[in-house]
Amino acid sequence: MRNYIIIGILLLGVISLNAQDKSNEDMKQKIEDLVSKMTLEEKASLCSGRDDWSTKPIERLDIPWIWVSDGPHGLRRAPATNVPGYGDQLPATCFPTASALAATWDLDLIEKLGVALGEECQAQDVNVLLGPGVNIKRSVLAGRNFEFFSEDPILSGELGAAFINGVQSQGVGTSLKHYVANNVETMRMYNNSDMDIRTLHEIYLRPFEIAVKKAQPWTVMACYNRVQGIYGTESPYILTEVLKNQWGFEGIVISDWFAVVDRVEGIKAGMHIEMPGVSTFNDELIVEAVKNGELEASVLDALVKEILQVVLKAKSLEKEGVELDAQAHHAFARQVAAEAATLLKNDNKVLPITKKKYKKVAIIGEFANNPRFQGNGSSEVKPTQLDKVLDILNQEYGNDFKFTYSQGYSLTDDVDYSMIAEAKEAAAKADIALVFAGLPLHYESEGIDRTHIDLPPSHNKLISEIALVQENSVVVLTNGSAITMPWINEVDGVLETWLGGQAGAGATADVLFGKVNPSGKLAETFPMKLEDTPAFFNFPGEQGEVIYGERIFVGYRYYDEKKMEPLFPFGFGLSYTTFEYSDLTVSAKNIKDTDGLVVTMNIKNTGETKGKEIVQLYVKDEESTLQRPEKELKKFAKIELNPGETKEVSFELNTRDFSYFDGHRALWIAESGAFDILVGASSRDIKLQETIQLQSTQIVPLAYNEYTFFREYWDNKETRELLKAMVPQWIGNFVPEGKSLDDAVFNDFLIDNPIIKLPYVTGGEVDQQGVKDFIEKCKGITYTP
Ligand code: BGC
């Protein structure tokens, strides 16, 4: 019987696969037919939007239009496609912004959030949600940090993939943005993100790569900035070579709003749709370019087919009658915000607030009554409702505790001594003081970078003054990006609640009062001071040039390398319980790069409260040809444990997890040698460690071009002989006494020259052609790293 069931299931699988193939074929045929009937002008017209938020229809051929809308942490849908929708957008659930989402480190939760967002899009007739943003937080000053996940590419990419999978499971597309190296707001329409190819691949492309490969977003949004000198909307390397050819992207590229400069170059590079639609002049240029032969008609046809693919898919997945369940989504938003809350300090177990410990609670700070809950700019959602901490506390905890409220500061930066005096009086009379502080809305905005990372002086002063009169002082922060904390040694507790969305107040209460055990961890380093940060000298750049001088040493990679103490390290966050790490095992101590490695460990809840731990796995390459970070995050997991409970966590590593990107060969390479597997509770709290030996089986080409160094040819047995044969014998005359020809000529004299220098070194005896022939001979020669 069982066998019949299995065969039945298999047959059903085959039938549904066949049905899927058939419908893909039908769709392909339909698109071919449509394109064959389109005029050149109609094809060009599809390559730009109709208005602010929609693509162009072609009524003659029944080609529909679709609706795209911001994003990312909630839906900002304008009343109509041809109005900007700032202030008059339809209400939608405002979830916590990306920095908060990242602090959850919870892929299942983020996928669920994606599902909720997808439902809201279906309810409001939106086909594509413009998000998520997976740009790396390169500088603490970047204005849009609140909208991006992390300083780490793996964490950003995995969260992005989970988000996309959730949204797209609802028949709604996403737009992975802003592709790529969009890390500064100052001069954002012109800036050149100037970095080496290795940094581009290892840090800035990597999150996009993960999200594309794991989730296939329907669209990718090309950035405003230039990358290595070329606009992101015009780069064939970025848009076609990497995105499409290397990663297998199946969707379409849309421009960020007004990001297009040279439309014809954009078409050639693989940039499908220009947004928004402002005029027909670029469509006309496309037509002109095809007519005069500058643009091949087949290139345009290919893009149009891909556009139709997405448009028709979106239309076919529209759902009728989806209602937005505002109450359920509000409750879910509260849950997400609670998972994000990150406990940074909890001396003397000042938190949670319990009846046993405290009766009178002084609530201090304007933000408790007037919440800061999201960032400024295109992502601004009009919430379906907005909770305030003060109301929630009185409603939900008013029977058990006595609350007082003092404003403490106004929304200007100026210190108000009378407000502080009043707050101090209330704090002194209470058993515990909660100071709600953070960054006002205008401090964190799209389009504007920060110039410092301090809280307003009015907040800093208030915190220090309260700490003077109340020994149980806790700072509750709302901000979307790292800040300094000059008062850190004066207070007992710090709870980072990020920009928690419309239900953030309830989540904050849940954590403060112990209904939820905090489990968030930092997805970005908090530095002691701005001057300590990796991009300090190169942010926001000058005259449109942003030099990524810190290269791969972004975030914790930098602080590790400099052996510098941050205020709070990447991956850090406390809990009301404690965890013990033990029994690290690896599947093998000697592996081939192709084998993969399974790493397991046990995590135990050693406290008295149920809690969640975020386990992090870092890899350190002990020795490498290229410079490598001290350690790099490769895997993470969030697990829930009852008091006393132990769970096994297991991770699987593959070749890529041991590799660096060789810029010369444009290849990911995992070199043979020792690697440390580091498992910990944060980047600075490694609990368990094991070393493995990796044996590479990779076949890597030796010669890449005329700049391959003598050293590389010398180190290889085969090419060493060819090299010796090419260099004239008379060079031996210059050998100092006591040295061999090999030592002197190759090891000392020539070794650090690129091969192209040979004609100069040999006075022309080996000429340019000789060098070219030599490179040709070496082309088939490979090595194993
Ligand atoms: C932003 C995008 C946004 C778009 C549409 C741009 O200014 O950079 O993130 O999706 O506007 O509002």
Side-chain angles (χ1 to χ4, degrees):
M1 180 66 181
R2 207 169 140 252
N3 287 349
Y4 287 121
I5 294 173
I6 292 173
I7 291 168
I9 291 171
L10 285 175
L11 274 177
L12 274 180
V14 172
I15 290 166
S16 78
L17 259 183
N18 282 341
Q20 185 61 44
D21 285 352
K22 170 93 179 50
S23 94
N24 288 347
E25 258 325 296
D26 290 350
M27 174 74 98
K28 240 173 124 188
Q29 195 48 55
K30 181 174 177 182
I31 289 172
E32 289 291 338
D33 290 349
L34 282 172
V35 174
S36 71
K37 290 180 194 144
M38 283 164 77
T39 63
L40 174 59
E41 286 71 16
E42 283 171 335
K43 290 175 191 170
S45 79
L46 283 192
C47 297
S48 63
R50 176 176 65 171
D51 49 26
D52 297 65
W53 308 111
S54 66
T55 63
K56 283 203 195 96
I58 301 179
E59 275 152 26
R60 181 178 80 81
L61 296 169
D62 269 346
I63 294 176
W65 57 272
I66 57 169
W67 196 318
V68 302
S69 230
D70 281 312
H73 62 273
L75 183 56
R76 183 175 71 85
R77 209 211 83 168
T81 60
N82 61 353
V83 291
Y86 284 98
D88 56 356
Q89 66 267 53
L90 268 53
T93 312
C94 179
F95 290 98
T97 79
S99 5
L101 301 181
T104 69
W105 296 61
D106 189 334
L107 299 180
D108 294 340
L109 186 77
I110 301 307
E111 186 164 340
K112 244 175 107 185
L113 170 93
V115 171
L117 288 168
E119 286 167 2
E120 299 213 1
C121 289
Q122 286 286 6
Q124 298 196 10
D125 304 324
V126 167
N127 303 95
V128 174
L129 180 70
L130 301 175
V134 296
N135 294 108
I136 292 293
K137 298 188 199 206
R138 171 178 175 247
S139 165
V140 280
L141 294 174
R144 290 184 96 167
N145 277 355
F146 69 88
E147 247 183 283
F148 302 144
F149 291 122
S150 173
E151 67 189 26
D152 182 81
I154 304 283
L155 183 55
S156 302
E158 294 289 346
L159 290 163
F163 184 108
I164 295 166
N165 279 327
V167 176
Q168 295 193 169
S169 71
Q170 298 310 298
V172 172
T174 53
S175 200
L176 180 64
K177 63 193 190 181
H178 309 87
Y179 186 61
V180 62
N182 177 248
N183 316 99
V184 50
E185 293 303 288
T186 312
M187 299 180 86
R188 68 176 177 164
M189 297 278 180
Y190 177 63
N191 258 328
N192 178 29
S193 300
D194 182 3
M195 70 186 85
D196 61 289
I197 194 87
R198 176 179 177 203
T199 302
L200 180 61
H201 278 267
E202 281 189 27
I203 305 291
Y204 297 95
L205 285 170
R206 189 77 178 111
F208 289 92
E209 178 183 9
I210 294 171
V212 166
K213 288 183 174 169
K214 289 197 163 176
Q216 281 293 350
W218 294 5
T219 81
V220 162
M221 189 187 289
C223 59
Y224 286 131
N225 50 287
R226 292 171 293 148
V227 186
Q228 295 183 315
I230 305 177
Y231 271 113
T233 48
E234 290 169 25
S235 166
Y237 180 69
I238 303 275
L239 299 180
T240 299
E241 173 54 27
V242 173
L243 180 64
K244 221 173 148 165
N245 300 348
Q246 292 179 15
W247 300 346
F249 175 57
E250 293 164 5
I252 58 170
V253 180
I254 64 174
S255 75
D256 198 346
W257 270 231
F258 304 103
V260 165
V261 178
D262 186 324
R263 187 63 190 109
V264 175
E265 286 308 309
I267 292 280
K268 288 187 201 161
M271 222 286 301
H272 299 75
I273 302 183
E274 172 189 5
M275 286 303 290
V278 277
S279 108
T280 54
F281 69 75
N282 271 339
D283 299 355
E284 284 155 21
L285 287 180
I286 297 172
V287 170
E288 184 65 31
V290 174
K291 283 188 177 158
N292 69 23
E294 193 200 332
L295 179 66
E296 280 179 40
S298 60
V299 172
L300 179 62
D301 281 4
L303 293 197
V304 169
K305 284 177 197 166
E306 284 158 351
I307 293 171
L308 288 177
Q309 181 82 33
V310 169
V311 169
L312 297 181
K313 172 162 72 179
K315 279 319 254 191
S316 74
L317 295 172
E318 279 180 353
K319 293 180 191 164
E320 290 298 319
V322 178
E323 297 266 320
L324 163 63
D325 187 347
Q327 280 311 315
H329 282 191
H330 185 75
F332 179 53
R334 180 169 176 164
Q335 187 198 334
V336 176
E339 290 287 318
T342 310
L343 185 61
L344 295 175
K345 185 170 182 183
N346 197 23
D347 283 3
N348 307 313
K349 297 197 173 158
V350 64
L351 291 177
I353 299 170
T354 58
K355 278 196 278 181
K356 249 200 210 155
K357 287 191 281 183
Y358 314 108
K359 282 194 176 58
K360 285 185 263 168
V361 183
I363 308 296
I364 297 164
E366 167 80 9
F367 283 172
N369 193 33
N370 182 5
R372 169 80 210 290
F373 63 102
Q374 64 176 331
N376 220 352
S378 63
S379 66
E380 239 178 282
V381 176
K382 187 181 208 168
T384 57
Q385 72 178 80
L386 180 59
D387 293 343
K388 299 173 177 183
V389 167
L390 209 50
D391 293 347
I392 296 268
L393 292 184
N394 282 315
Q395 282 157 20
E396 298 183 17
Y397 297 88
N399 289 341
D400 294 327
F401 299 90
K402 186 173 170 337
F403 296 110
T404 58
Y405 170 66
S406 333
Q407 190 181 346
Y409 53 84
S410 68
L411 286 181
T412 69
D413 289 0
D414 302 334
V415 179
D416 185 321
Y417 287 97
S418 68
M419 280 191 196
I420 292 183
E422 196 188 299
K424 271 174 93 171
E425 212 182 306
K429 287 186 192 149
D431 303 319
I432 180 170
L434 304 175
V435 186
F436 290 81
L439 297 177
L441 183 64
H442 66 277
Y443 272 51
E444 291 180 283
S445 176
E446 175 180 340
I448 307 165
D449 292 307
R450 288 195 285 172
T451 52
H452 63 80
I453 54 168
D454 302 326
L455 292 182
S458 50
H459 294 222
N460 277 337
K461 183 72 181 161
L462 173 71
I463 295 167
S464 291
E465 289 291 320
I466 296 299
L468 289 176
V469 297
Q470 172 55 260
E471 61 171 12
N472 297 319
S473 290
V474 175
V475 180
V476 184
L477 291 166
T478 44
N479 44 285
S481 182
I483 54 159
T484 56
M485 302 182 197
W487 33 257
I488 190 67
N489 296 323
E490 299 159 25
V491 298
D492 265 5
V494 179
L495 180 68
E496 175 59 77
T497 66
W498 309 105
L499 301 180
Q502 66 180 54
T508 303
D510 290 341
V511 172
L512 288 171
F513 287 80
K515 252 192 206 158
V516 172
N517 188 351
S519 62
K521 291 198 180 188
L522 294 181
E524 58 201 281
T525 308
F526 275 39
M528 294 271 195
K529 54 185 189 303
L530 178 61
E531 291 77 1
D532 290 351
T533 59
F536 180 69
F537 285 114
N538 292 308
F539 190 94
E542 245 173 36
Q543 300 186 318
E545 287 300 312
V546 190
I547 298 167
Y548 282 51
E550 71 290 349
R551 303 181 57 242
I552 50 174
F553 298 98
V554 177
Y556 64 90
R557 291 163 166 79
Y558 176 85
Y559 297 91
D560 279 358
E561 197 72 8
K562 299 271 284 191
K563 303 199 184 333
M564 195 187 273
E565 271 310 304
L567 179 60
F568 294 108
F570 175 80
F572 174 79
L574 300 167
S575 164
Y576 294 151
T577 188
T578 46
F579 301 98
E580 191 182 271
Y581 287 57
S582 67
D583 307 314
L584 181 70
T585 58
V586 289
S587 52
K589 291 228 174 144
N590 288 290
I591 58 163
K592 287 205 193 100
D593 55 352
T594 44
D595 288 345
L597 182 78
V598 180
V599 184
T600 50
M601 71 237 52
N602 286 332
I603 314 292
K604 182 177 183 187
N605 181 344
T606 46
E608 274 141 34
T609 320
K610 184 177 180 172
K612 291 184 181 172
E613 173 66 330
I614 296 163
V615 184
Q616 300 155 46
L617 185 151
Y618 298 82
V619 170
K620 173 188 166 93
D621 188 353
E622 285 195 3
E623 212 189 312
S624 168
T625 308
L626 301 188
Q627 200 181 8
R628 294 197 76 175
E630 179 64 25
K631 61 175 163 322
E632 293 181 286
L633 180 78
K634 297 297 172 189
K635 299 282 165 191
F636 56 90
K638 190 167 190 176
I639 50 160
E640 184 163 37
L641 293 164
N642 286 315
E645 191 186 4
T646 301
K647 271 189 190 157
E648 187 183 272
V649 175
S650 135
F651 297 117
E652 256 185 77
L653 299 174
N654 62 25
T655 324
R656 181 62 85 78
D657 297 317
F658 298 100
S659 302
Y660 60 74
F661 188 83
D662 179 326
H664 279 155
R665 295 177 179 80
L667 262 187
W668 288 93
I669 293 182
E671 285 184 346
S672 299
F675 288 85
D676 296 338
I677 310 296
L678 311 168
V679 173
S682 87
S683 64
R684 288 291 170 101
D685 186 11
I686 300 302
K687 310 264 193 198
L688 305 168
Q689 162 160 8
E690 184 62 90
T691 301
I692 62 124
Q693 297 291 331
L694 181 136
Q695 182 59 53
S696 172
T697 58
Q698 230 176 322
I699 311 279
V700 173
L702 182 78
Y704 42 88
N705 60 22
E706 63 271 40
Y707 297 102
T708 310
F709 268 65
F710 268 80
R711 182 184 295 284
E712 288 163 81
Y713 292 119
W714 185 251
D715 284 348
N716 182 285
K717 261 198 213 145
E718 276 179 81
T719 49
R720 181 182 293 193
E721 294 314 314
L722 292 172
L723 198 60
K724 279 184 178 176
M726 179 172 56
V727 174
Q729 285 304 305
W730 53 256
I731 279 202
N733 299 339
F734 297 97
V735 176
E737 246 186 64
K739 281 221 165 187
S740 72
L741 179 79
D742 284 1
D743 269 357
V745 178
F746 296 104
N747 268 343
D748 292 350
F749 182 42
L750 293 175
I751 201 86
D752 280 325
N753 281 282
I755 197 79
I756 198 168
K757 290 282 169 182
L758 208 55
Y760 303 95
V761 177
T762 62
E765 193 168 327
V766 177
D767 60 9
Q768 301 286 2
Q769 191 52 46
V771 172
K772 277 193 189 138
D773 294 344
F774 173 76
I775 295 171
E776 235 6 81
K777 264 192 230 158
C778 296
K779 275 235 163 103
I781 296 174
T782 55
Y783 72 101
T784 294

